[in-house]
Amino acid sequence: MTLIRSCRSRILLGTGLVAAMLAPASAFASDIVGIVTDATDTRALQSAEVRIVELGRVAEAGRDGSFRFGDVPAGTYTLEARYVGAEPVRSTIDVPATGGVTVNFSLGGANDILVVGQAANQASALSRQKAADGVESVLTRDAIGQFPDQNVAESLRRLPGVNILNDQGEGRFVSVRGLDPELNASSLNGVRLPAPESDVRSVALDVISSDTIESIEIKKSLTADMDADTIGASIEIHTTSAFDRQRDLYSARIEGSYNDYSGKLTPKGSLDFATRVGDNFGIAGSISYYKRKFETDNVEAGDFWKEADGVAFAPEIEYRDYDVTRERISGALSFDWRASDTTKAYIRGNFSQFDDHEYRRRTTIIFNEDPASGDANSAFFTDADGRIEVRRDLKDRFERQRIRTVVVGSDTDTGVWKFNWSASWAKSSEREDFSIDPLRFRARFNDDGVDVNMDYSNPRVPLYSVTAGAALFNDPTEYGFNRLELTDLSDSQDEEYAVKADLARTFAGDKGDFTIQGGIKSRWRDKSYNFNLIYYGDYNGDFTLADVLGQQTYRLTDIGPVASKTGPAAFYNANLGNFEVNQYETDLGSNSSDYSVSENILAGYLLGRWDSDTLRVIGGVRVERTKNVLNGNLVADDGSDVFVTPVSYRRNYTDWLPSMTIRFQPQQDLVLRLAGARSIVRPKLSKLAPRFTINEDDEAEFGNPDLLPYKAWNLDAGAEYYFGRNAALSIGGFYKSIDNFIVDGFFEDSDAPYNGVYRGTAFSEAIIPVNGDKAEVAGLEASYSQVFDMLPAPFDGLLAQANYTYTWSKAKLFDGRSIALPSNSRNTFNLVLGYEKGPIDIRLAGTYRDKYLDEIGGDAETDRYVDNHFQLDLSVKFKLTDNVRLYGEWVNINNAKYFAYQNYASSQRLLQYEEYGSTFKFGVKASF
């Protein structure tokens, strides 16, 4: 046997991949197969570690708990199975010269500590984290379908280095290690998710309900077999499979949600099942519905702040009253077939729909002249000095987003050979039909005796008071029709087809396995946006705010009079013939945004992998060939007519992307990691699209088909210590060197490199997305998790999770200015305190993130920052019976707000403030 292995090694080193893969397997070897489950035979223990002690060979249990060792020489061996939260179990086996041996393991004792609750979730997450090739964080649900939070984005908030960017109080986009969400990639069951929105690559993960999810993995380091389109992390979401469990599952949830700001109670419900039809076929599925009504009070500066005679003031201030209804429908269905002892096939489909119906009443005050007087906390304006314009408008917008995926494939593992393939389709869309955005009424006060005083004593909520002319200011008949912008169609489509295949050959050694693996993947993506606007600039007759008057729900101050929520649409439909179309504005708005882009990627890779019970080394290289076809319009106008010229560009490029990952486990409770990889993130397709607009003053906005992709070298190092029965402490550092990061550049006609001409089009001023110089990111992550079951009762039900991330970044703009990267919060931490014992399950979670740069302005004074955020959430569950649980949640206990600002005149000056209140959820979940 030793001679055979020695010859095999010489063949591999001397003749390369082809000869190595054709080398014959040992004639005197067998397979060891089995499954690992919890002791109640309920849950398959994915990522349990199974080790042949004498050979130093290790296998990781798959999601169905199965493991396989191939090419095992005849003899007597000791097998050991380990899983966080359970005592290790050993079994002695005799392996014959030919044939196979089946060994099954049950871990955890005769209770449900690995099955249900917070401790079970933690044990599952830590086991997967420990077994992983590289640096990753994991969230899982337990065996009865309980997930920590209500949507994917909110759940990820709890993980190290993760920051969630909110939209009206709900977590939507995910930032990892302080990087822009655009630098992440998201997949669902291995399918890369396209983005519903027209102008981004990143996917808003609040579209996907957690009721359909089995686990979420945030992979922060890369290996050559992974798509290389991420610098932050690869966010990999997995739905349920019938083979995740040993028993059938049927569960139902009914929930009510109450927002204290709106005073509305709304429903949520879900159904979830997993069942096997015989031993080799399984079906799993779920459907979830959630309706949420809430309100948001918002204040925004419509323009950047100014200063006159020592008085800082906002020349335009907006008070926004939002009433929002959001409905989410999510469904998942999967079929799993164990075609043979070595092959599993699957089909998985997912559907998510997110409807957002938003009413926004807005009062805007515009001061055309500097204040007559003021101080550090106020500014006084009078229309005797110049015009004071007041706009009162309404937006009535219904938007529907959909994400759909289907994937079919199979995985074959003979112990020596592995072959996996899949084919997938994914489509995302965002559509609006008939959205009023906005209907505006306007009054202009000029020497009419109207005076307005602005109170800036609360820097987050500037308030106005009308000190003279209030009767005129508040009279709805004074506000005549100004314009109606009707979104006749806003249609964003993003669709991708993909096929992939991977082939691996494993060579068994005396103290480990060596694997050669290669693969190929092809992706075909098409993204388009079509926007049609009808712009009404006049009304034939009398139409004032008084004709559609409503009642505000705004709490920060009185912003009345305001339009009703439904009155403007009803008035428009009843009086359509009296509205006069402005064809110039209609043509300009309808053609400026349209584009279509195709992106085809052909990738291949080759890697080598050494696995033993102490050392895992994975080194390889990936190559990706990218081809784009970019279509858009050059839209020019002379102030009265619009001229549209279609334009198209083609481009292609190739990237070679090496990677190396080392996992060293000198003892069972200690894992050390080191990883380095080259990766890329392609520019936003909306930035690449040749959308060129230029007006009669030669002021222009350009897309940039020449944008280069972000390219980064990524380095990670870390140590993880697993102690006790269900506890871990980890610390790690990371460094990223990023080339070609993308920012919007502001150019005048004298600025290099364009000098007033871009692709043959002259301009006086232009906004053009450009590649910056170089950016660096460095940081530290630390996390701690522990179940305190060693304490005396009743304290043995306590558990804690805590993590902290420090991220530093620096980038240099094309104008020489140094900044931190957008979305980079320097400090983030999460703390979870839990208690579960008997029928009681309690969790208090706190999340903090530091301020971050949100948008880059023309200079430091016009950069936009989002202030720090701390939020507390509480959940309580009570087991009424073995099958029925009651639960309640209090989200945003401390009524955390949103505040964005600019640093101007030695102070933080308001750009946006939002307040939402708390949300209470209560319900019942039954599982059988």
Side-chain angles (χ1 to χ4, degrees):
M1 291 297 296
T2 302
L3 179 61
I4 293 173
R5 294 191 191 96
S6 177
C7 291
R8 198 178 284 144
S9 298
R10 291 191 183 98
I11 292 171
L12 174 64
L13 295 174
T15 63
L17 175 63
V18 175
M21 296 182 73
L22 294 175
S26 169
F28 303 100
S30 300
D31 291 346
I32 302 175
V33 299
I35 59 172
V36 185
T37 65
D38 76 284
T40 65
D41 199 31
T42 300
R43 185 177 193 178
L45 299 184
Q46 180 178 348
S47 295
E49 179 190 276
V50 183
R51 180 168 66 108
I52 304 177
V53 176
E54 291 79 7
L55 298 181
R57 295 178 62 184
V58 175
E60 178 186 349
R63 65 180 300 174
D64 61 350
S66 66
F67 65 91
R68 177 181 292 271
F69 293 97
D71 204 12
V72 180
T76 300
Y77 300 101
T78 303
L79 260 64
E80 179 182 74
R82 287 179 173 268
Y83 187 83
V84 173
E87 295 296 328
V89 174
R90 288 195 170 195
S91 177
T92 301
I93 60 169
D94 292 318
V95 176
T98 58
V101 178
T102 299
V103 183
N104 297 327
F105 290 96
S106 295
L107 306 180
N111 53 48
D112 62 357
I113 60 172
L114 300 182
V115 179
V116 178
Q118 297 180 66
N121 281 336
Q122 180 169 300
S124 175
L126 290 180
S127 293
R128 298 189 199 189
Q129 174 184 297
K130 183 181 181 182
D133 291 336
V135 179
E136 70 176 62
S137 301
V138 185
L139 278 174
T140 69
R141 75 173 187 170
D142 65 17
I144 62 169
Q146 298 180 122
F147 211 72
D149 295 278
Q150 295 303 304
N151 68 56
V152 171
E154 292 289 347
S155 295
L156 292 174
R157 191 193 298 273
R158 317 296 177 194
L159 294 178
V162 176
N163 174 26
I164 302 301
L165 307 188
N166 289 343
D167 173 55
Q168 295 192 338
E170 292 188 330
R172 298 203 73 197
F173 292 98
V174 179
S175 169
V176 179
R177 291 175 166 175
L179 296 174
D180 192 299
E182 291 295 309
L183 301 184
N184 299 325
S186 300
S187 63
L188 182 60
N189 294 323
V191 181
R192 276 291 191 249
L193 293 177
E197 291 91 339
S198 65
D199 58 344
V200 297
R201 283 186 182 269
S202 54
V203 179
L205 294 180
D206 65 335
V207 177
I208 303 171
S209 170
S210 65
D211 291 314
T212 66
I213 303 304
E214 189 277 329
S215 67
I216 310 170
E217 300 173 356
I218 295 189
K219 296 186 176 181
K220 303 172 185 177
S221 62
L222 299 175
T223 51
D225 56 334
M226 299 171 60
D227 288 314
D229 54 354
T230 177
I231 296 174
S234 178
I235 302 169
E236 302 188 2
I237 305 165
H238 302 278
T239 58
T240 56
S241 162
F243 291 161
D244 294 338
R245 306 172 46 81
Q246 297 300 104
R247 301 179 185 176
D248 291 349
L249 170 70
Y250 301 92
S251 70
R253 179 202 301 262
I254 300 175
E255 176 181 296
S257 177
Y258 176 81
N259 179 255
D260 68 345
Y261 219 56
S262 68
K264 301 290 178 60
L265 179 65
T266 52
K268 178 178 180 180
S270 65
L271 297 172
D272 187 10
F273 74 94
T275 185
R276 297 195 184 191
V277 182
D279 293 333
N280 297 318
F281 189 78
I283 306 173
S286 63
I287 187 168
S288 171
Y289 172 80
Y290 181 27
K291 184 175 184 178
R292 181 174 181 241
K293 291 186 176 182
F294 63 95
E295 297 176 9
T296 301
D297 289 345
N298 168 294
V299 187
E300 296 192 20
D303 200 354
F304 293 112
W305 285 59
K306 296 182 179 179
E307 188 174 20
D309 297 327
V311 178
F313 67 98
E316 184 174 329
I317 193 79
E318 301 178 1
Y319 298 88
R320 302 183 176 198
D321 182 8
Y322 289 94
D323 295 86
V324 183
T325 300
R326 289 178 172 172
E327 289 186 276
R328 295 176 173 89
I329 300 174
S330 294
L333 187 64
S334 68
F335 302 90
D336 291 271
W337 176 39
R338 190 174 286 114
S340 68
D341 290 341
T342 60
T343 299
K344 304 180 185 73
Y346 58 86
I347 301 174
R348 309 196 196 285
N350 292 272
F351 174 86
S352 293
Q353 179 172 293
F354 174 48
D355 291 344
D356 187 358
H357 193 178
E358 177 184 293
Y359 293 104
R360 184 202 67 201
R361 275 82 70 86
R362 176 173 61 178
T363 296
T364 304
I365 306 174
I366 302 171
F367 304 107
N368 279 35
E369 296 295 334
D370 296 341
S373 62
D375 54 31
N377 293 317
S378 67
F380 174 74
F381 300 87
T382 175
D383 72 349
D385 290 342
R387 188 176 71 202
I388 297 176
E389 180 173 326
V390 182
R391 300 170 179 172
R392 302 183 187 274
D393 63 38
L394 171 108
K395 176 167 73 172
D396 176 1
R397 187 213 67 199
F398 178 83
E399 178 182 273
R400 170 167 289 173
Q401 293 185 2
R402 284 177 171 166
I403 298 176
R404 292 141 286 183
T405 67
V406 177
V407 59
V408 57
S410 70
D411 301 322
T412 297
D413 183 359
T414 68
V416 175
W417 289 93
K418 291 183 180 179
F419 175 69
N420 308 314
W421 73 271
S422 69
S424 64
W425 168 81
K427 185 173 184 178
S428 295
S429 61
E430 180 183 78
R431 187 180 178 94
E432 291 181 43
D433 297 289
F434 193 82
S435 288
I436 294 175
D437 190 8
L439 170 64
R440 179 194 294 173
F441 301 93
R442 182 180 69 186
R444 289 177 167 177
F445 303 107
N446 198 345
D447 208 15
D448 292 317
V450 173
D451 297 340
V452 177
N453 189 71
M454 293 301 305
D455 179 2
Y456 303 133
S457 57
N458 181 349
R460 297 190 170 205
V461 187
L463 299 176
Y464 72 93
S465 58
V466 183
T467 58
L472 200 63
F473 190 95
N474 295 322
D475 183 356
T477 63
E478 289 292 323
Y479 294 86
F481 172 78
N482 174 241
R483 69 172 61 168
L484 190 161
E485 297 180 38
L486 182 70
T487 300
D488 188 50
L489 176 67
S490 175
D491 185 17
S492 172
Q493 303 279 340
D494 198 349
E495 185 175 32
E496 179 171 302
Y497 292 87
V499 294
K500 61 172 291 188
D502 305 276
L503 180 66
R505 173 65 159 93
T506 298
F507 301 90
D510 289 331
K511 291 297 181 180
D513 297 337
F514 182 71
T515 301
I516 290 288
Q517 180 175 323
I520 190 169
K521 182 174 184 178
S522 189
R523 301 165 60 183
W524 302 273
R525 182 177 186 177
D526 292 293
K527 189 177 182 74
S528 64
Y529 182 56
N530 183 22
F531 182 78
N532 293 328
L533 170 72
I534 303 176
Y535 187 105
Y536 297 98
D538 204 355
Y539 182 80
N540 185 17
D542 294 326
F543 182 25
T544 70
L545 179 59
D547 294 311
V548 291
L549 199 60
Q551 297 292 322
Q552 73 175 48
T553 56
Y554 198 73
R555 293 162 181 79
L556 301 180
T557 190
D558 185 354
I559 63 170
V562 298
S564 70
K565 291 188 289 187
T566 58
F571 188 95
Y572 169 81
N573 288 322
N575 299 276
L576 176 59
N578 291 333
F579 286 89
E580 298 180 3
V581 174
N582 183 320
Q583 197 60 48
Y584 164 75
E585 294 287 355
T586 297
D587 292 343
L588 185 63
S590 297
N591 291 284
S592 300
S593 301
D594 296 353
Y595 74 90
S596 65
V597 172
S598 69
E599 182 176 81
N600 299 333
I601 302 170
L602 179 62
Y605 74 91
L606 184 67
L607 64 80
R609 176 187 182 111
W610 169 259
D611 261 308
S612 73
D613 57 354
T614 59
L615 182 64
R616 182 182 305 163
V617 180
I618 307 170
V621 65
R622 185 179 186 90
V623 59
E624 295 193 352
R625 174 73 167 171
T626 306
K627 293 184 178 181
N628 289 123
V629 178
L630 312 169
N631 302 303
N633 293 321
L634 169 60
V635 181
D637 73 272
D638 59 9
S640 58
D641 294 305
V642 176
F643 308 95
V644 180
T645 304
V647 290
S648 182
Y649 297 93
R650 293 176 179 268
R651 54 182 264 162
N652 58 77
Y653 52 91
T654 302
D655 295 283
W656 292 85
L657 307 162
S659 62
M660 175 69 75
T661 297
I662 301 172
R663 180 188 182 276
F664 180 52
Q665 189 172 350
Q667 56 194 52
Q668 283 296 330
D669 54 7
L670 181 63
V671 177
L672 306 177
R673 301 182 192 272
L674 182 65
R678 181 74 161 164
S679 64
I680 66 169
V681 170
R682 297 168 182 88
K684 294 180 184 179
L685 297 176
S686 59
K687 296 285 189 183
L688 284 172
R691 297 188 290 181
F692 306 155
T693 61
I694 185 164
N695 64 19
E696 72 275 17
D697 297 321
D698 289 337
E699 297 169 338
E701 290 189 29
F702 297 109
N704 188 351
D706 297 319
L707 283 174
L708 301 174
Y710 294 77
K711 296 185 179 181
W713 285 105
N714 309 277
L715 180 65
D716 289 88
E720 302 159 12
Y721 176 54
Y722 297 85
F723 60 98
R725 195 175 68 172
N726 191 346
L729 177 66
S730 66
I731 188 168
F734 56 90
Y735 173 78
K736 300 175 183 292
S737 177
I738 305 171
D739 294 321
N740 305 327
F741 71 92
I742 298 169
V743 297
D744 283 335
F746 301 87
F747 297 92
E748 296 184 353
D749 53 9
S750 59
D751 294 336
Y754 303 112
N755 298 310
V757 180
Y758 181 75
R759 288 188 171 269
T761 301
F763 63 84
S764 60
E765 296 179 357
I767 300 174
I768 307 172
V770 294
N771 290 107
D773 187 6
K774 183 178 181 179
E776 293 181 288
V777 180
L780 178 73
E781 290 179 343
S783 67
Y784 162 76
S785 305
Q786 185 165 14
V787 175
F788 296 96
D789 54 0
M790 79 296 292
L791 297 178
F795 303 107
D796 54 346
L798 290 170
L799 57 88
Q801 299 171 0
N803 59 71
Y804 167 77
T805 302
Y806 173 83
T807 305
W808 169 89
S809 69
K810 184 179 180 181
K812 191 172 183 180
L813 299 179
F814 63 93
D815 60 3
R817 186 158 62 99
S818 293
I819 60 166
L821 284 174
S823 303
N824 176 198
S825 291
R826 184 156 292 189
N827 299 284
T828 61
F829 73 78
N830 297 284
L831 177 64
V832 176
L833 299 176
Y835 182 84
E836 58 177 359
K837 189 174 178 65
I840 298 173
D841 185 323
I842 302 172
R843 187 187 67 159
L844 177 66
T847 302
Y848 173 83
R849 61 148 178 78
D850 220 343
K851 68 177 183 180
Y852 62 86
L853 175 64
D854 189 36
E855 296 177 3
I856 301 169
D859 54 40
E861 288 189 333
T862 56
D863 288 343
R864 175 187 170 103
Y865 289 87
V866 174
D867 202 16
N868 54 35
H869 180 93
F870 176 70
Q871 180 173 318
L872 283 172
D873 303 318
L874 175 69
S875 69
V876 178
K877 300 173 185 175
F878 182 80
K879 185 167 71 172
L880 201 61
T881 70
D882 286 342
N883 303 109
V884 179
R885 285 167 170 79
L886 305 177
Y887 65 90
E889 297 182 24
W890 185 1
V891 181
N892 196 15
I893 295 171
N894 56 321
N895 190 21
K897 288 96 173 167
Y898 176 94
F899 178 54
Y901 62 90
Q902 66 177 118
N903 291 310
Y904 181 78
S906 304
S907 295
Q908 294 179 355
R909 305 293 180 177
L910 165 89
L911 291 178
Q912 183 178 346
Y913 171 85
E914 289 184 349
E915 190 170 330
Y916 331 95
S918 300
T919 298
F920 303 90
K921 301 177 181 181
F922 50 90
V924 57
K925 183 179 180 71
S927 303
F928 303 95

